[in-house]
Amino acid sequence: MTTPTLSRNQRFRALFKEGEAFVCMGAFDAISAKLAEAAGAPAIFVSGFVACGIEAGEPDMGALSQRDMFEHIRRVCRATNLPVFADADTGYGGMLDVQRTIRLWEEAGASCLHLEDQALPKKCGHFAGKQLVSKHEMVQKVRAMVEARQDPDFFIVARTDSIAVNGIEDAIDRLTAYAGAGADGLYADAVESVEQMRELQRRLAPLGKPLLFNMVTSGKSPTLSLKEVGDLGFSFALCPVEPLLAMHKAVKTMMETFMRQGCDTRAVQDQLTPFEEYNAFVGLPEAVAQEQKYTAA
């Protein structure tokens, strides 16, 4: 008797049953998604901050439309077999827009999204000047998303940006309400200290919803290992922008060295993946063999 194959959505939910915190590794495009999978990541995260940089070369201040983000997520999902957790910002408008967003994210191949309670124009959670919609409006958005969800295994995370705006008490109050509206997971972005993390866990754990922590190393939150995150009672974490920042530094260094050394590729040879290794990684030998099945004489 064969064992039924789990869908990607089911595999994402199964990660919570393994007993330890897990990380969703950031991927900024198809090739970085393949690299994350090859490195052993259990899941991938597609960040709106990162997508704005990759797709538009702009800061995370609403540069991408719903359609832009849908196409970006779809390209990542096509490149990997891992479950993909994809940023959904504010849902891109009102209640009908929120429902369309979850349908599109499911169509793109994502297994999870987070919806945030910022008011437009939205900003990266670690930027200053954020504003919030009312708790009631966000509760209605979560309810609208839950009702529009096509696969019950698709995972909905409700995010609040309230810590920086109104403080932790309001953040806890909001997340409690979002859990009651049907959110599967809870996420307070830009947590400012380990003490705040402990308070979130103490007050929200009775709700029985997994808590998400953002491991970004350049924001307002403490820098912690995944084990430390798990020991504080958080079930999963994001490593959202580090691959983008690593790419930025590596490519910047290569280009500056190349230009400084008289545009000589020999000067950057030690900074490059060998051409043959790259082609093997993206599957060129398999593609050639597949083509030859139909073209060989």
Side-chain angles (χ1 to χ4, degrees), residues 189-204:
D189 198 26
V191 174
E192 296 167 354
S193 66
V194 168
E195 290 70 28
Q196 285 189 348
M197 293 176 68
R198 290 195 178 103
E199 185 68 3
L200 287 166
Q201 194 279 333
R202 185 180 72 84
R203 302 273 293 279
L204 296 174

PDB file of all heavy atoms in Angstrom, residues 189-204:
ATOM      1  N   ASP A 189       5.354  42.168  14.494  1.00  0.00           N
ATOM      2  CA  ASP A 189       6.603  42.555  13.836  1.00  0.00           C
ATOM      3  C   ASP A 189       7.325  43.624  14.641  1.00  0.00           C
ATOM      4  O   ASP A 189       6.728  44.369  15.420  1.00  0.00           O
ATOM      5  CB  ASP A 189       6.337  43.059  12.423  1.00  0.00           C
ATOM      6  CG  ASP A 189       7.600  43.049  11.569  1.00  0.00           C
ATOM      7  OD1 ASP A 189       8.502  42.235  11.855  1.00  0.00           O
ATOM      8  OD2 ASP A 189       7.685  43.841  10.617  1.00  0.00           O
ATOM      9  N   ALA A 190       8.636  43.707  14.422  1.00  0.00           N
ATOM     10  CA  ALA A 190       9.513  44.692  15.067  1.00  0.00           C
ATOM     11  C   ALA A 190       9.455  44.609  16.592  1.00  0.00           C
ATOM     12  O   ALA A 190       9.400  45.627  17.278  1.00  0.00           O
ATOM     13  CB  ALA A 190       9.176  46.093  14.571  1.00  0.00           C
ATOM     14  N   VAL A 191       9.470  43.375  17.117  1.00  0.00           N
ATOM     15  CA  VAL A 191       9.593  43.187  18.562  1.00  0.00           C
ATOM     16  C   VAL A 191      10.908  43.796  19.006  1.00  0.00           C
ATOM     17  O   VAL A 191      11.939  43.626  18.354  1.00  0.00           O
ATOM     18  CB  VAL A 191       9.548  41.675  18.906  1.00  0.00           C
ATOM     19  CG1 VAL A 191       9.813  41.451  20.376  1.00  0.00           C
ATOM     20  CG2 VAL A 191       8.206  41.092  18.505  1.00  0.00           C
ATOM     21  N   GLU A 192      10.894  44.510  20.135  1.00  0.00           N
ATOM     22  CA  GLU A 192      12.042  45.326  20.510  1.00  0.00           C
ATOM     23  C   GLU A 192      12.973  44.686  21.528  1.00  0.00           C
ATOM     24  O   GLU A 192      14.075  45.202  21.765  1.00  0.00           O
ATOM     25  CB  GLU A 192      11.547  46.673  21.036  1.00  0.00           C
ATOM     26  CG  GLU A 192      10.814  47.478  19.967  1.00  0.00           C
ATOM     27  CD  GLU A 192      10.041  48.663  20.521  1.00  0.00           C
ATOM     28  OE1 GLU A 192       9.985  48.791  21.775  1.00  0.00           O
ATOM     29  OE2 GLU A 192       9.522  49.449  19.720  1.00  0.00           O
ATOM     30  N   SER A 193      12.581  43.581  22.162  1.00  0.00           N
ATOM     31  CA  SER A 193      13.422  42.987  23.200  1.00  0.00           C
ATOM     32  C   SER A 193      13.006  41.553  23.468  1.00  0.00           C
ATOM     33  O   SER A 193      11.882  41.131  23.130  1.00  0.00           O
ATOM     34  CB  SER A 193      13.316  43.794  24.501  1.00  0.00           C
ATOM     35  OG  SER A 193      12.006  43.690  25.039  1.00  0.00           O
ATOM     36  N   VAL A 194      13.896  40.814  24.111  1.00  0.00           N
ATOM     37  CA  VAL A 194      13.575  39.458  24.557  1.00  0.00           C
ATOM     38  C   VAL A 194      12.446  39.505  25.576  1.00  0.00           C
ATOM     39  O   VAL A 194      11.578  38.615  25.607  1.00  0.00           O
ATOM     40  CB  VAL A 194      14.832  38.778  25.127  1.00  0.00           C
ATOM     41  CG1 VAL A 194      14.476  37.482  25.862  1.00  0.00           C
ATOM     42  CG2 VAL A 194      15.834  38.492  24.009  1.00  0.00           C
ATOM     43  N   GLU A 195      12.431  40.540  26.401  1.00  0.00           N
ATOM     44  CA  GLU A 195      11.359  40.676  27.399  1.00  0.00           C
ATOM     45  C   GLU A 195      10.002  40.793  26.724  1.00  0.00           C
ATOM     46  O   GLU A 195       9.012  40.197  27.182  1.00  0.00           O
ATOM     47  CB  GLU A 195      11.619  41.905  28.285  1.00  0.00           C
ATOM     48  CG  GLU A 195      12.785  41.764  29.240  1.00  0.00           C
ATOM     49  CD  GLU A 195      14.150  41.746  28.550  1.00  0.00           C
ATOM     50  OE1 GLU A 195      14.291  42.356  27.449  1.00  0.00           O
ATOM     51  OE2 GLU A 195      15.070  41.097  29.091  1.00  0.00           O
ATOM     52  N   GLN A 196       9.929  41.535  25.635  1.00  0.00           N
ATOM     53  CA  GLN A 196       8.666  41.622  24.902  1.00  0.00           C
ATOM     54  C   GLN A 196       8.294  40.264  24.303  1.00  0.00           C
ATOM     55  O   GLN A 196       7.111  39.898  24.286  1.00  0.00           O
ATOM     56  CB  GLN A 196       8.765  42.674  23.798  1.00  0.00           C
ATOM     57  CG  GLN A 196       8.705  44.112  24.295  1.00  0.00           C
ATOM     58  CD  GLN A 196       8.590  45.106  23.158  1.00  0.00           C
ATOM     59  OE1 GLN A 196       8.776  44.777  21.988  1.00  0.00           O
ATOM     60  NE2 GLN A 196       8.284  46.349  23.498  1.00  0.00           N
ATOM     61  N   MET A 197       9.275  39.521  23.836  1.00  0.00           N
ATOM     62  CA  MET A 197       8.989  38.189  23.290  1.00  0.00           C
ATOM     63  C   MET A 197       8.416  37.278  24.371  1.00  0.00           C
ATOM     64  O   MET A 197       7.466  36.545  24.134  1.00  0.00           O
ATOM     65  CB  MET A 197      10.260  37.582  22.697  1.00  0.00           C
ATOM     66  CG  MET A 197      10.771  38.310  21.458  1.00  0.00           C
ATOM     67  SD  MET A 197      12.335  37.644  20.845  1.00  0.00           S
ATOM     68  CE  MET A 197      11.811  36.035  20.250  1.00  0.00           C
ATOM     69  N   ARG A 198       8.991  37.339  25.560  1.00  0.00           N
ATOM     70  CA  ARG A 198       8.481  36.528  26.664  1.00  0.00           C
ATOM     71  C   ARG A 198       7.044  36.909  27.011  1.00  0.00           C
ATOM     72  O   ARG A 198       6.206  36.047  27.293  1.00  0.00           O
ATOM     73  CB  ARG A 198       9.377  36.687  27.890  1.00  0.00           C
ATOM     74  CG  ARG A 198      10.755  36.043  27.761  1.00  0.00           C
ATOM     75  CD  ARG A 198      11.428  35.917  29.117  1.00  0.00           C
ATOM     76  NE  ARG A 198      12.725  35.268  29.004  1.00  0.00           N
ATOM     77  CZ  ARG A 198      13.892  35.898  29.054  1.00  0.00           C
ATOM     78  NH1 ARG A 198      13.922  37.219  29.222  1.00  0.00           N
ATOM     79  NH2 ARG A 198      15.022  35.236  28.947  1.00  0.00           N
ATOM     80  N   GLU A 199       6.757  38.197  26.987  1.00  0.00           N
ATOM     81  CA  GLU A 199       5.406  38.662  27.308  1.00  0.00           C
ATOM     82  C   GLU A 199       4.413  38.220  26.235  1.00  0.00           C
ATOM     83  O   GLU A 199       3.294  37.794  26.555  1.00  0.00           O
ATOM     84  CB  GLU A 199       5.396  40.182  27.456  1.00  0.00           C
ATOM     85  CG  GLU A 199       4.065  40.765  27.902  1.00  0.00           C
ATOM     86  CD  GLU A 199       3.683  40.401  29.340  1.00  0.00           C
ATOM     87  OE1 GLU A 199       4.473  39.738  30.038  1.00  0.00           O
ATOM     88  OE2 GLU A 199       2.582  40.792  29.759  1.00  0.00           O
ATOM     89  N   LEU A 200       4.807  38.306  24.979  1.00  0.00           N
ATOM     90  CA  LEU A 200       3.945  37.837  23.894  1.00  0.00           C
ATOM     91  C   LEU A 200       3.648  36.354  24.050  1.00  0.00           C
ATOM     92  O   LEU A 200       2.487  35.926  23.926  1.00  0.00           O
ATOM     93  CB  LEU A 200       4.616  38.092  22.539  1.00  0.00           C
ATOM     94  CG  LEU A 200       4.664  39.548  22.050  1.00  0.00           C
ATOM     95  CD1 LEU A 200       5.643  39.682  20.906  1.00  0.00           C
ATOM     96  CD2 LEU A 200       3.277  40.030  21.627  1.00  0.00           C
ATOM     97  N   GLN A 201       4.671  35.582  24.344  1.00  0.00           N
ATOM     98  CA  GLN A 201       4.467  34.144  24.502  1.00  0.00           C
ATOM     99  C   GLN A 201       3.573  33.837  25.693  1.00  0.00           C
ATOM    100  O   GLN A 201       2.659  33.002  25.601  1.00  0.00           O
ATOM    101  CB  GLN A 201       5.834  33.453  24.657  1.00  0.00           C
ATOM    102  CG  GLN A 201       5.792  31.939  24.488  1.00  0.00           C
ATOM    103  CD  GLN A 201       5.327  31.211  25.735  1.00  0.00           C
ATOM    104  OE1 GLN A 201       5.490  31.707  26.854  1.00  0.00           O
ATOM    105  NE2 GLN A 201       4.746  30.025  25.543  1.00  0.00           N
ATOM    106  N   ARG A 202       3.795  34.518  26.811  1.00  0.00           N
ATOM    107  CA  ARG A 202       3.010  34.261  28.019  1.00  0.00           C
ATOM    108  C   ARG A 202       1.538  34.581  27.812  1.00  0.00           C
ATOM    109  O   ARG A 202       0.656  33.822  28.222  1.00  0.00           O
ATOM    110  CB  ARG A 202       3.569  35.099  29.176  1.00  0.00           C
ATOM    111  CG  ARG A 202       2.896  34.832  30.523  1.00  0.00           C
ATOM    112  CD  ARG A 202       3.497  35.683  31.612  1.00  0.00           C
ATOM    113  NE  ARG A 202       3.122  37.082  31.480  1.00  0.00           N
ATOM    114  CZ  ARG A 202       1.974  37.598  31.943  1.00  0.00           C
ATOM    115  NH1 ARG A 202       1.082  36.814  32.534  1.00  0.00           N
ATOM    116  NH2 ARG A 202       1.708  38.883  31.798  1.00  0.00           N
ATOM    117  N   ARG A 203       1.277  35.682  27.132  1.00  0.00           N
ATOM    118  CA  ARG A 203      -0.105  36.150  26.995  1.00  0.00           C
ATOM    119  C   ARG A 203      -0.834  35.489  25.823  1.00  0.00           C
ATOM    120  O   ARG A 203      -2.067  35.371  25.843  1.00  0.00           O
ATOM    121  CB  ARG A 203      -0.098  37.675  26.795  1.00  0.00           C
ATOM    122  CG  ARG A 203       0.579  38.451  27.919  1.00  0.00           C
ATOM    123  CD  ARG A 203      -0.354  38.773  29.045  1.00  0.00           C
ATOM    124  NE  ARG A 203      -1.378  39.712  28.606  1.00  0.00           N
ATOM    125  CZ  ARG A 203      -1.195  41.039  28.515  1.00  0.00           C
ATOM    126  NH1 ARG A 203      -0.018  41.579  28.826  1.00  0.00           N
ATOM    127  NH2 ARG A 203      -2.182  41.823  28.136  1.00  0.00           N
ATOM    128  N   LEU A 204      -0.089  35.093  24.782  1.00  0.00           N
ATOM    129  CA  LEU A 204      -0.740  34.578  23.577  1.00  0.00           C
ATOM    130  C   LEU A 204      -0.724  33.057  23.479  1.00  0.00           C
ATOM    131  O   LEU A 204      -1.548  32.479  22.753  1.00  0.00           O
ATOM    132  CB  LEU A 204      -0.076  35.171  22.326  1.00  0.00           C
ATOM    133  CG  LEU A 204      -0.206  36.690  22.165  1.00  0.00           C
ATOM    134  CD1 LEU A 204       0.624  37.168  20.979  1.00  0.00           C
ATOM    135  CD2 LEU A 204      -1.659  37.113  22.009  1.00  0.00           C
TER     136      LEU A 204
END
